[in-house]
Amino acid sequence: MNPSKFVSRIFGALAILLSQIMCAFVSYTYCELKWASRYSGWSAPADKALWYIVPFAAAIGVCAALSWVFHKSTEEVAEPDEEDEDEDEEKKIEE
């Protein structure tokens, strides 16, 4: 397997994993703040838990972008230039 393809898949899997962790973490924190504001007297609103989405979204974006960059570099290495193939065929025909 091409190293760029492997790295591309790793970053793609990491982006998916981070999205799942983000959902679990934010929902748990929201529920914790909601419960604490009702029963423990905390003053912070539960909506503040949604701010945890920002760093997760940034990390997911970086992982997705890196996955795309490595995927594109894999395609460039794997696919030969079509013009070169056409020129080779023309040379064979001329000979």
Side-chain angles (χ1 to χ4, degrees), residues 13-68:
L14 186 59
I16 293 169
L17 181 66
L18 279 172
S19 70
Q20 300 302 311
I21 292 171
M22 176 191 69
C23 290
F25 181 77
V26 170
S27 62
Y28 175 79
T29 307
Y30 181 85
C31 291
E32 181 184 26
L33 285 174
K34 190 79 164 172
W35 181 88
S37 67
R38 274 197 188 153
Y39 301 111
S40 292
W42 290 6
S43 61
D47 296 340
K48 296 298 179 187
L50 299 178
W51 282 100
Y52 283 116
I53 292 174
V54 174
F56 277 106
I60 292 168
V62 167
C63 287
L66 286 173
S67 176
W68 181 76

